[in-house]
Amino acid sequence: MASLTFKNVKKSFGKTEVVKGFDLEIKDGEFVVLLGGSGCGKSTTLRMVAGLESITSGQILIGDRCINDVEPIDRDLAMVFQSYALYPHMTVEENICFALKLAGMKKEEIQKKVNWAAEMLQLTPLLQRKPKQLSGGQRQRVAMGRAMVRTPQLFLFDEPLSNLDAKLRGLMRSEIKALHRKLGTTTLYVTHDQVEAMTLADRVVIMEKGVITQIGTPHEVFSKPANKFVGGFIGSPTMNMIPAKVQQKDSKLVLSMSDQELPLPAQFEGKAQAGQEVTVGIRPTDIHLREKQVAEGSALKAHCKLKNHELLGATVLLNAEMGGQAIVAEVPNEDAELHEDQELFIDTKSFHLFDKNSELSLI
Ligand SMILES: Nc1ncnc2c1ncn2[C@@H]1O[C@H](COP(=O)(O)OP(=O)(O)O)[C@@H](O)[C@H]1O
Ligand SMILES: [Mg+2]
């Protein structure tokens, strides 16, 4: 096992820079998820670690060894791709144990490893099939198995679950987590799925347009998003984003937001200025049907028009309008006694404020 370090790593294709100064230290044994929208440079970053893509400038180190010029085969890592890249003429079993055979491992040991992986991935009945006789999800699991049976210094995953149905994805997520707990192998996992990131990661690295915008634990990136992009990207349903302005009223600062005017919440004292245009971020779960569900003194009463509601199961999504501004609230199902003219109570202690221009969080 080993740490993985990026030092100001850049990658350009022709004149287009797609990874712009990537700095990150992944500790030995850590599980880091690289999260971002399509095209932001996640796969390119991973492929540079694997040696499938050259590095334009900067350094990548595994442990304290710079691997910029090390051949892919000598990097001691296993990668699971978005596309599975299985050998079509080999059976599932042969695909899984190919690298072990090459490495000269003993037959019984190989068999033990293959059986263990096949069992975990529900592939045991399929071991003698060829890839073309498998569904996409099954092929993906073979690709996982091939990486699992090796014991490399580093695991790299590129959206390995994107072709699975929701149920299997949930199952595989917990298998990957369990596998990591057991093996403790340093892992860099790429996904655009924030649920995967939040459930798997020790730390999440959020990337936008080739740049890291925040690094933190799942709790940190959820509760303290560094900017508007992260606030909107993490959490489902999405954070409500409401344009607002900070204004001076007598000796105090107030926040004008749709048809509301409220004292600037205490957490922003000294952080916001009179005249500043901001975006207020409010998570749907921070909007309530009853005042007593909000800490005393921090409830903002909002008269809303309820447009419709969607039952999710334990909770209900309310699509409402507050002074012409669409907002979404998520409330417990048992609370749902609803009216077209509905009062909602917003917890102002949970507000996030982002500067309108820089989009950075004010906290
Ligand atoms: N071989 C390549 N040649 C030119 N442009 C590429 C190449 N590979 C990726 N890109 C571009 O680099 C950007 C980042 O791609 P990628 O790392 O695959 O994004 P992600 O994995 O985050 O979806 C995209 O705009 C993509 O079109
Ligand atoms: Mg990709």
Side-chain angles (χ1 to χ4, degrees):
M1 283 193 288
S3 58
L4 172 64
T5 309
F6 295 82
K7 289 187 178 167
N8 198 19
V9 172
K10 297 181 181 171
K11 175 69 187 178
S12 301
F13 291 108
K15 285 200 176 121
T16 317
E17 196 172 49
V18 299
V19 177
K20 304 169 185 170
F22 196 95
D23 276 303
L24 177 67
E25 278 186 62
I26 301 176
K27 291 191 274 292
D28 185 8
E30 202 178 10
F31 196 121
V32 168
V33 175
L34 189 53
L35 174 68
S38 175
C40 73
K42 305 181 296 296
S43 294
T44 304
T45 304
L46 209 63
R47 290 168 59 80
M48 285 191 282
V49 179
L52 304 174
E53 208 69 80
S54 64
I55 300 163
T56 304
S57 68
Q59 282 192 320
I60 299 179
L61 293 88
I62 296 181
D64 45 23
R65 178 168 80 134
C66 175
I67 56 157
N68 285 34
D69 300 319
V70 176
E71 288 297 320
I73 193 140
D74 297 325
R75 293 190 184 195
D76 195 13
L77 47 83
M79 178 158 171
V80 180
F81 295 90
Q82 209 164 354
S83 63
Y84 334 110
L86 301 177
Y87 297 109
H89 59 290
M90 293 184 188
T91 63
V92 168
E93 177 162 11
E94 286 162 347
N95 263 286
I96 293 177
C97 67
F98 183 67
L100 305 183
K101 273 193 184 150
L102 266 191
M105 190 184 274
K106 282 208 201 87
K107 232 178 171 176
E108 309 86 76
E109 210 173 322
I110 292 178
Q111 200 56 53
K112 234 163 89 185
K113 286 211 162 211
V114 170
N115 291 346
W116 164 75
E119 220 25 63
M120 186 179 269
L121 298 164
Q122 301 175 19
L123 288 171
T124 309
L126 309 175
L127 281 173
Q128 300 316 317
R129 288 203 195 170
K130 297 269 174 67
K132 68 168 189 283
Q133 299 167 298
L134 302 175
S135 72
Q138 289 166 338
R139 283 181 212 167
Q140 188 65 307
R141 282 182 277 151
V142 177
M144 295 271 307
R146 199 171 42 180
M148 275 164 57
V149 292
R150 299 177 48 202
T151 38
Q153 295 211 62
L154 195 63
F155 274 134
L156 304 177
F157 291 98
D158 192 345
E159 316 230 11
L161 308 184
S162 47
N163 295 305
L164 306 184
D165 63 46
K167 193 168 170 218
L168 193 54
R169 199 156 56 223
L171 194 69
M172 290 296 294
R173 236 174 22 223
S174 38
E175 293 295 0
I176 291 174
K177 189 87 183 159
L179 187 72
H180 180 255
R181 258 197 300 271
K182 191 162 168 213
L183 304 178
T185 309
T186 313
T187 302
L188 181 56
Y189 185 107
V190 160
T191 184
H192 68 276
D193 180 331
Q194 53 106 11
V195 176
E196 255 171 52
M198 299 298 271
T199 50
L200 285 172
D202 293 323
R203 280 190 304 158
V204 182
V205 174
I206 296 157
M207 203 171 172
E208 185 189 11
K209 294 182 192 146
V211 175
I212 294 177
T213 55
Q214 189 168 8
I215 302 174
T217 63
H219 178 73
E220 282 163 354
V221 296
F222 180 79
S223 59
K224 289 198 170 153
N227 61 22
K228 192 176 160 195
F229 173 78
V230 177
F233 200 76
I234 303 272
S236 174
T238 314
M239 184 183 269
N240 292 289
M241 296 288 182
I242 304 174
K245 193 166 181 180
V246 180
Q247 283 174 321
Q248 184 86 37
K249 197 111 192 231
D250 305 325
S251 62
K252 294 245 158 72
L253 290 180
V254 296
L255 200 55
S256 314
M257 168 178 88
S258 68
D259 59 349
Q260 300 273 355
E261 190 175 274
L262 62 146
L264 184 73
Q267 67 268 34
F268 304 109
E269 257 167 43
K271 312 254 160 99
Q273 300 163 11
Q276 188 170 10
E277 295 202 65
V278 293
T279 303
V280 180
I282 304 170
R283 295 221 181 263
T285 44
D286 292 324
I287 305 177
H288 304 271
L289 282 172
R290 288 193 264 282
E291 188 162 15
K292 67 174 197 299
Q293 292 165 314
V294 185
E296 212 175 317
S298 61
L300 170 68
K301 189 198 248 181
H303 297 281
C304 297
K305 283 261 177 247
L306 198 58
K307 296 287 171 197
N308 58 59
H309 59 278
E310 299 164 55
L311 179 63
L312 296 185
T315 60
V316 181
L317 279 194
L318 309 180
N319 293 303
E321 221 176 78
M322 173 178 76
Q325 168 73 46
I327 57 166
V328 175
E330 185 174 3
V331 299
N333 188 7
E334 68 226 7
D335 272 343
E337 203 180 285
L338 304 168
H339 309 280
E340 199 187 333
D341 285 298
Q342 182 72 51
E343 267 179 357
L344 294 175
F345 298 89
I346 309 178
D347 184 355
T348 59
K349 271 207 184 110
S350 70
F351 273 19
H352 301 267
L353 281 194
F354 306 104
D355 180 76
K356 187 187 170 205
N357 298 317
S358 71
E359 300 199 341
L360 294 177
S361 169
L362 296 195
I363 296 191

